[in-house]
Amino acid sequence: MTTMDGPQRSRKESFFKNFFRPSDHGLADNFRLTSFVLLNLLEGFDDVHPRQQYTDNESQPTTSGINDGPVVSSCAQTTVGIGLDSAVIELKDKIHSLVQTTDFLYPLIDDPYIMGKVACANVLSDLYAMGVPDCDNMLMLAGIPMKMTDTERDVAFAQMMKGFSDEAVAGNTYVTGGDTKYSEWCMIGGTATAIVKTESVILPYGAQLGDSLVLTKPLGTQNATFAYQWYQEGGEKWDKLSGVISEDEVQEGYFTAVESMIRLNKTGASLMAKHRAHAATDITGFGLLGHANNLARHQTDPVSLVIRKLPIINGMAAVERSIGDRFGLLSGKGIETSGGLLISLPQEEAPMFCRSIKDIDGFDAWIVGEVIEGDRTAFLDKNVELVEAR
Amino acid sequence: MTTMDGPQRSRKESFFKNFFRPSDHGLADNFRLTSFVLLNLLEGFDDVHPRQQYTDNESQPTTSGINDGPVVSSCAQTTVGIGLDSAVIELKDKIHSLVQTTDFLYPLIDDPYIMGKVACANVLSDLYAMGVPDCDNMLMLAGIPMKMTDTERDVAFAQMMKGFSDEAVAGNTYVTGGDTKYSEWCMIGGTATAIVKTESVILPYGAQLGDSLVLTKPLGTQNATFAYQWYQEGGEKWDKLSGVISEDEVQEGYFTAVESMIRLNKTGASLMAKHRAHAATDITGFGLLGHANNLARHQTDPVSLVIRKLPIINGMAAVERSIGDRFGLLSGKGIETSGGLLISLPQEEAPMFCRSIKDIDGFDAWIVGEVIEGDRTAFLDKNVELVEAR
């Protein structure tokens, strides 16, 4: 049973028609980009990407104060923005600030071009979370797996880099440089930089009692990509899964996840000021609750964030239940890649914000919770509602 | 026979006294940071770091137009600086430019703190090569090897990150953020960004007929680090090597290389404008001749660069001869890490430039060649002179 509307269904059909088939590019049928992260080396992390280790902030390595989510400064005195998605450095003119972020990923989907786009969207997202919609420059970082053949490198890796560059162009910015080296694992990432008026940066400190929390993309990208992988492999895992989800639903879920991951949070960023957003973050490796906790921890006021709704890609709640909430999706801890913005803004602005996202991007955004009095934590409401999203 | 002067000798003694001994930090005696790049996986690259594959520009992967050395832009129309060490993007005010570079390394020395400093110096060097002595912000990228134990991570990896941060402080800048993930290979790197008046950037296009070429650090860091590794391991390789170099010389060479790699090219950068430099690049993975060729290729005037002198870390020419110029050092192609600046500047300025480096930093710089009429290539003079450096 499809829940997609007409335009989405026809985009989906076109997507699978133009799907990356290795043999169309002179590669072996069994070429898989995701195989260039050596999962078999991840003892104790059966079938799970390295990212999986970061299920929440507490589990990050003790040495890595500097990380994807919260940013720890080695020089508090010159830096605005400890704990932000991006570093914010005031320039000498005292008017402008440099806003910067860096991030890299291992492949989680097999289509190289799309993987490149996702990686770029994921990098840019940290700028967008500061209400900065315009990126001035990007650099690309790429690790070419030693084990790739020359052809695989020239075809698949080149497509991944092109996807990254094209996504930058879609964000009205450009990749002007970078660093490429051979590495054991395949990796792709980069740096995004903007120079903006300092006053235009929305620092994620100012959530107000009574604010609504808006989420601009659905959850469950990890489930959708793994479910699709298991479906493609057709082994024991798919046998189990096929009891709870149809082939059509797996394909739709995967397509929804891909469309979501390559969709830039630029629109959300550009609407933040207009709708008087007080604070925001983007949802990636720590999951909704992990990033909400980060955000809560840095608030000036004694507030907490309560999540009352989890918008989940259609079918993925069933997938997650069938594997015993193994990815943490149903408890708000599922890892996302290039997820949405979680924005704290006045209650009266929230519905219009969501409507604008829908009007401009054509996708739903949800009011998922609110800001209450508290000790700067984030938690799920006991009666948290799961809503199917697409 | 030592060639070091008194102060250098006493720095060397202090260096080896404070050497990183794994057991002093609760680590196994055989802990080696360099072992976290899986050399055994590099088929066909016996005993050589992954970097080794880039012996010159021609051997870089065809897909990696975006690279360590030359930077290829995906958007020529908005970008000043295709083929530069750093990307240069003019800001909207038409007065300032954003100057940016990114780079990452795999460990090539076993002392984690020093490795961190070297990685940071290597990142900053690309800014310095544009005559930009002041970095406004750094981000750090780090890949924690999956196979590191918790203790190794908390001790060694933390020290490497601290080395990186401390070196940034030495360069009067700060690491304000970054991204840390688990990875198969150990890696460390980052991004350096400066906002400067556009007119102050020295674009590497303007070498003039008759210019002298100055090199600000000696060559042979790769030989020095490998020779030291072989000496420490004490096996067959050291047996061969010990016929051409003494233990003292290996230690001195290693210390000279380390001091050189952690020395920032900041002084060179700050002297470039004063001495009317016309163009520069920094010497890293492509070796002196590789980077000289890049520089030559981008000149506005029809000139070529002839290299008449190779200043080589004391003892390393002998090491290189004993292994049949395997690293390319004697033909100007030896890979360097955090090498010196190669600067094209008026002949009459060159001696004073070198003297200033010596006065300020306490290290030699050399006039290694000159700019002649030509078709934008670089080559070694047939009678190229090897000079021992320290």
Side-chain angles (χ1 to χ4, degrees):
Chain A
M1 175 194 91
T2 181
T3 61
M4 290 186 162
D5 61 17
Q8 201 172 10
R9 206 159 49 236
S10 78
R11 287 202 308 276
K12 189 203 92 176
E13 276 156 23
S14 150
F15 171 77
F16 282 104
K17 199 177 287 169
N18 297 308
F19 207 61
F20 178 80
R21 278 172 205 83
S23 56
D24 293 352
H25 304 270
L27 303 181
D29 269 339
N30 64 354
F31 173 82
R32 295 285 178 276
L33 190 61
T34 50
S35 74
F36 291 94
V37 180
L38 297 182
L39 300 182
N40 56 329
L41 287 176
L42 308 180
E43 293 160 32
F45 296 98
D46 173 42
D47 281 317
V48 175
H49 280 80
R51 299 169 296 127
Q52 171 64 8
Q53 292 170 96
Y54 297 108
T55 44
D56 56 34
N57 306 310
E58 283 66 53
S59 70
Q60 72 187 71
T62 51
T63 55
S64 66
I66 291 167
N67 208 289
D68 200 40
V71 163
V72 174
S73 170
S74 61
C75 175
Q77 59 274 31
T78 63
T79 307
V80 183
I82 298 176
L84 309 192
D85 292 307
S86 296
V88 181
I89 294 94
E90 196 179 52
L91 299 185
K92 295 171 202 89
D93 67 6
K94 303 282 176 197
I95 295 170
H96 293 86
S97 281
L98 177 66
V99 185
Q100 283 204 299
T101 180
T102 188
D103 189 38
F104 64 96
L105 292 180
Y106 305 114
L108 69 157
I109 50 181
D110 280 314
D111 185 317
Y113 182 77
I114 288 176
M115 186 58 226
K117 287 181 82 78
V118 169
C120 181
N122 200 64
V123 172
L124 284 167
S125 187
D126 284 323
L127 281 193
Y128 297 148
M130 316 285 292
V132 174
D134 297 313
C135 174
D136 288 302
N137 192 41
M138 294 197 78
L139 303 174
M140 191 194 299
L141 287 155
I144 306 172
M146 293 295 297
K147 288 178 178 164
M148 268 194 177
T149 66
D150 290 359
T151 310
E152 288 168 353
R153 190 190 63 210
D154 292 350
V155 171
F157 207 87
Q159 283 205 15
M160 189 164 71
M161 292 175 81
K162 184 167 189 325
F164 191 99
S165 281
D166 285 359
E167 183 80 353
V169 171
N172 200 27
T173 183
Y174 301 98
V175 176
T176 62
D179 189 20
T180 304
K181 284 198 173 61
Y182 282 105
S183 69
E184 180 55 24
W185 282 352
C186 184
M187 54 177 238
I188 179 98
T191 300
T193 301
I195 290 104
V196 296
K197 291 220 165 111
T198 303
E199 63 190 21
S200 74
V201 178
I202 299 175
L203 296 174
Y205 300 151
Q208 302 286 311
L209 200 62
D211 271 4
S212 288
L213 296 172
V214 162
L215 181 67
T216 65
K217 289 184 184 179
L219 305 169
T221 52
Q222 188 182 34
N223 294 68
T225 52
F226 274 104
Y228 186 74
Q229 203 173 303
W230 297 336
Y231 156 67
Q232 279 198 309
E233 287 164 4
E236 198 185 318
K237 289 209 185 78
W238 172 242
D239 287 348
K240 273 193 216 168
L241 221 54
S242 59
V244 300
I245 190 167
S246 70
E247 293 192 19
D248 267 4
E249 284 170 326
V250 167
Q251 288 194 10
E252 282 192 11
Y254 182 67
F255 174 68
T256 302
V258 166
E259 269 206 330
S260 180
M261 291 189 287
I262 66 180
R263 176 157 57 100
L264 294 169
N265 283 322
K266 190 171 162 68
T267 302
S270 63
L271 292 169
M272 279 170 63
K274 182 180 169 195
H275 292 284
R276 298 186 285 131
H278 294 132
T281 188
D282 69 323
I283 309 305
T284 54
F286 300 124
L288 175 65
L289 207 54
H291 288 284
N293 250 309
N294 275 337
L295 191 62
R297 189 165 9 133
H298 290 99
Q299 293 313 305
T300 305
D301 287 357
V303 293
S304 283
L305 311 182
V306 54
I307 305 291
R308 304 199 197 282
K309 192 181 279 186
L310 295 177
I312 292 177
I313 293 170
N314 197 26
M316 294 311 134
V319 167
E320 182 68 4
R321 261 182 230 110
S322 79
I323 55 172
D325 200 19
R326 176 173 159 194
F327 290 151
L329 178 64
L330 304 175
S331 33
K333 292 178 177 167
I335 290 175
E336 304 296 334
T337 299
S338 189
L341 298 179
L342 179 70
I343 305 170
S344 181
L345 76 180
Q347 200 183 349
E348 64 274 22
E349 297 284 346
M352 186 55 88
F353 184 96
C354 293
R355 208 167 311 142
S356 294
I357 292 275
K358 180 80 177 178
D359 288 347
I360 299 169
D361 282 352
F363 291 91
D364 287 329
W366 300 265
I367 298 171
V368 295
E370 71 181 299
V371 177
I372 59 173
E373 261 185 278
D375 56 353
R376 301 185 179 85
T377 59
F379 56 92
L380 293 196
D381 187 276
K382 268 175 202 151
N383 302 311
V384 65
E385 179 194 2
L386 305 188
V387 293
E388 300 259 294
R390 50 177 184 79
Chain B
M1 176 195 91
T2 181
T3 61
M4 290 186 162
D5 60 18
Q8 201 172 11
R9 206 159 49 235
S10 78
R11 287 202 307 276
K12 189 203 90 176
E13 276 156 22
S14 149
F15 171 76
F16 282 105
K17 199 177 286 169
N18 298 307
F19 208 61
F20 178 79
R21 278 172 205 83
S23 56
D24 293 352
H25 304 270
L27 303 180
D29 269 339
N30 64 354
F31 172 83
R32 295 285 177 276
L33 190 62
T34 50
S35 74
F36 291 94
V37 180
L38 297 183
L39 301 182
N40 57 328
L41 287 175
L42 309 180
E43 294 160 32
F45 296 98
D46 173 42
D47 281 317
V48 175
H49 280 80
R51 299 170 296 127
Q52 171 65 6
Q53 292 170 96
Y54 297 108
T55 44
D56 56 33
N57 305 310
E58 283 67 52
S59 70
Q60 72 187 73
T62 52
T63 55
S64 66
I66 290 167
N67 208 289
D68 200 39
V71 163
V72 174
S73 170
S74 61
C75 174
Q77 58 274 31
T78 62
T79 307
V80 183
I82 298 176
L84 309 192
D85 292 306
S86 296
V88 181
I89 294 94
E90 196 179 52
L91 299 185
K92 296 171 201 88
D93 68 6
K94 304 281 177 198
I95 295 170
H96 293 87
S97 281
L98 177 66
V99 185
Q100 283 204 298
T101 181
T102 187
D103 190 38
F104 64 95
L105 292 180
Y106 305 114
L108 69 157
I109 50 181
D110 280 313
D111 185 317
Y113 182 78
I114 288 176
M115 186 57 226
K117 287 181 82 79
V118 169
C120 181
N122 200 64
V123 172
L124 284 168
S125 186
D126 284 322
L127 281 193
Y128 297 148
M130 316 285 292
V132 174
D134 297 312
C135 174
D136 287 303
N137 192 41
M138 294 196 79
L139 303 174
M140 192 194 300
L141 287 155
I144 306 172
M146 293 295 297
K147 288 179 178 163
M148 268 194 177
T149 65
D150 290 359
T151 310
E152 288 168 353
R153 190 191 63 209
D154 292 349
V155 171
F157 208 86
Q159 283 205 16
M160 189 164 71
M161 291 174 81
K162 184 167 189 327
F164 192 99
S165 281
D166 285 358
E167 183 80 352
V169 171
N172 199 27
T173 183
Y174 300 99
V175 176
T176 62
D179 189 20
T180 304
K181 284 198 173 61
Y182 282 105
S183 69
E184 180 55 23
W185 283 352
C186 184
M187 54 176 237
I188 179 99
T191 300
T193 301
I195 291 105
V196 296
K197 291 221 165 111
T198 303
E199 63 190 21
S200 74
V201 178
I202 299 174
L203 296 174
Y205 300 151
Q208 302 287 310
L209 200 63
D211 271 3
S212 289
L213 297 172
V214 162
L215 181 67
T216 66
K217 290 183 184 180
L219 306 169
T221 52
Q222 187 181 34
N223 294 68
T225 52
F226 274 104
Y228 186 74
Q229 203 173 304
W230 297 336
Y231 156 67
Q232 278 198 308
E233 287 164 4
E236 198 184 318
K237 289 209 185 80
W238 172 242
D239 287 349
K240 273 193 216 168
L241 221 55
S242 60
V244 301
I245 190 167
S246 71
E247 294 192 20
D248 267 4
E249 284 169 326
V250 167
Q251 289 194 9
E252 282 192 11
Y254 182 67
F255 174 69
T256 302
V258 165
E259 269 207 329
S260 180
M261 290 189 287
I262 67 180
R263 176 156 58 99
L264 295 169
N265 283 323
K266 190 172 163 68
T267 303
S270 63
L271 291 169
M272 279 170 64
K274 182 179 169 196
H275 293 284
R276 298 185 285 132
H278 294 131
T281 189
D282 68 323
I283 309 305
T284 54
F286 300 124
L288 175 64
L289 208 54
H291 288 283
N293 250 309
N294 276 337
L295 190 62
R297 191 168 5 136
H298 290 99
Q299 293 313 305
T300 306
D301 287 357
V303 293
S304 284
L305 312 183
V306 54
I307 305 291
R308 303 199 197 282
K309 191 181 281 187
L310 296 177
I312 291 177
I313 293 171
N314 196 27
M316 294 311 133
V319 166
E320 182 68 5
R321 261 182 230 110
S322 79
I323 55 172
D325 199 18
R326 176 174 159 194
F327 290 151
L329 178 64
L330 304 175
S331 33
K333 293 177 178 168
I335 290 175
E336 304 295 334
T337 299
S338 188
L341 298 178
L342 179 70
I343 305 170
S344 180
L345 76 181
Q347 200 182 349
E348 64 274 22
E349 297 284 345
M352 186 55 89
F353 184 96
C354 293
R355 208 167 311 142
S356 294
I357 292 275
K358 180 81 177 178
D359 288 347
I360 299 169
D361 282 352
F363 291 91
D364 287 329
W366 299 265
I367 298 171
V368 296
E370 72 181 299
V371 177
I372 60 173
E373 261 185 278
D375 56 353
R376 301 185 179 85
T377 59
F379 56 92
L380 292 196
D381 187 276
K382 267 175 203 152
N383 302 311
V384 65
E385 179 194 1
L386 305 188
V387 293
E388 300 260 294
R390 51 177 184 80

